[in-house]
Amino acid sequence: MPLVDPFTTSFGTETEKEAYIFELKKDGISAFSESVTSIGPFYSYEDNTTAFHIIKSYLAELVLDAPQPAEFIARSSKVKGHNMAKAALEMLLWDYHSRKSGKPLHEYIGKSKGYADVGISLGIDRKEATLKKIQAALDRGYKRIKVKISKGKEMDILTPIREVYPDIALSVDANTDYRLRDLEILKKLDRFNLVYIEQPLEHDDILDHARLRKEISTPICLDESITSAERAEQALEVEACEVINIKPGRVGGFTESLKIAELARERKAHVWVGGMLETGIGRSYNVALASLEAVDYPGDTSPNDKYFERDLVRNPFSMENGTIRPNSGTGIGVDIDFEMINKVKIEAGTF
Ligand code: OSB
Ligand code: MG
């Protein structure tokens, strides 16, 4: 599916979404999920091809009897890593079992606020275009603006934004573009009064982030580095971050996401729910999770029309005063647009 707007980060530009969509049919219930992997392994080592290989060869057979998510996690633990592949099926089971219980997912998983606070994630673009997008986002009520930065471009990106908008809640996402040796540049970001800087250093690093945190006043948010609740605990323990971006795909699903949200609450850290340019199917999971009381910062859970002209669902999210209500139907509550799926489908198969 073509993206409404190309999305540029420090690791590249995405112009389209190619997603694996899963449907689990059993006992008259149909559940849906999505793998958050991309075409290439540039956000993490997983991509669509690796995820599909792992699912086809090792994981699909573990969900055919629709076990509880915890049982699936136990069964799949022999596969090392490949969290996004695992999450696609683990979340499918959360949808399945919440549908079976007759509850919407956001109520099934814990204490829901009934809405999610929403921020926007803007890719790297020309200065004029970025300022225009920020104004449009503020007009639509977004509660936080996040801009992507890359090494060497950070000042040119942030200076004009802060000139025009000295007080807005602003954050940056470096997607691993810096190293500790770039400390002098990172220190300069302190003057912009950012809510946080997301993932400045390597994708699998904790220790250097802890070192960096002592040198800068901008709070650090970890995204790529947090691949499990255990990792989150270690990061908080050594004070590598005070904010965590929870992406259920990156941590292997909802079970681990819920643990991280609870952990952050105990440790007085902050959490929010990130995004991976998901279709309406993956998005509905993110919005359900972001509605939890334990999630205290606005997430990257924009309404569907930021990404696609026509999505895979007939009930896209709409935003009011910077908040989105999770779907009220059972499970993820999506009304699948099968006509659209057929239109954009590359191939389909059955396990
Ligand atoms: O780092 O949060 C990220 C998109 C693709 C890969 C990584 C990231 C992102 C985003 C977009 O920031 C969030 C969204 O609007 O879905
Ligand atoms: Mg990020």
Side-chain angles (χ1 to χ4, degrees), residues 23-34:
E23 178 180 13
L24 175 63
K25 274 190 190 179
K26 195 177 175 289
D27 298 339
I29 294 173
S30 258
F32 291 87
S33 72
E34 166 175 353

Side-chain angles (χ1 to χ4, degrees), residues 144-298:
R144 176 269 286 145
I145 308 288
K146 161 175 140 184
V147 292
K148 296 285 183 176
I149 56 169
S150 63
K151 196 166 102 178
K153 288 198 183 152
E154 57 293 296
M155 288 297 161
D156 289 347
I157 292 169
L158 287 171
T159 307
I161 297 176
R162 270 306 187 214
E163 262 168 29
V164 183
Y165 305 103
D167 299 322
I168 58 169
L170 180 67
S171 66
V172 295
D173 189 353
N175 287 110
T176 77
D177 215 30
Y178 301 84
R179 298 294 174 267
L180 262 191
R181 61 176 176 272
D182 303 314
L183 183 60
E184 289 315 308
I185 311 178
L186 293 167
K187 274 184 177 170
K188 283 190 192 154
L189 299 183
D190 283 346
R191 69 184 69 155
F192 293 108
N193 192 26
L194 303 170
V195 190
Y196 50 79
I197 177 171
E198 187 173 333
Q199 198 68 36
L201 310 179
E202 287 238 65
H203 71 101
D204 54 357
D205 171 78
I206 298 284
L207 189 57
D208 277 0
H209 281 102
R211 291 177 174 136
L212 174 63
R213 186 179 172 277
K214 294 199 179 82
E215 304 293 330
I216 61 175
S217 63
T218 306
I220 293 176
C221 170
L222 289 181
D223 174 349
E224 285 89 332
S225 292
I226 305 299
T227 49
S228 64
E230 200 174 13
R231 261 304 158 97
E233 183 158 27
Q234 291 165 354
L236 295 174
E237 173 87 33
V238 302
E239 299 188 4
C241 65
E242 42 254 271
V243 185
I244 293 173
N245 168 350
I246 305 178
K247 289 181 185 168
R250 193 194 63 230
V251 301
F254 258 44
T255 307
E256 217 57 14
S257 299
L258 295 170
K259 280 190 205 161
I260 295 172
E262 269 320 302
L263 179 73
R265 191 211 279 275
E266 282 164 24
R267 302 290 181 93
K268 308 225 176 332
H270 304 282
V271 287
W272 53 278
V273 176
M276 292 289 287
L277 314 176
E278 288 93 341
T279 78
I281 294 171
R283 188 162 308 284
S284 60
Y285 284 93
N286 293 346
V287 171
L289 185 65
S291 303
L292 284 186
E293 267 178 21
V295 173
D296 64 337
Y297 272 12

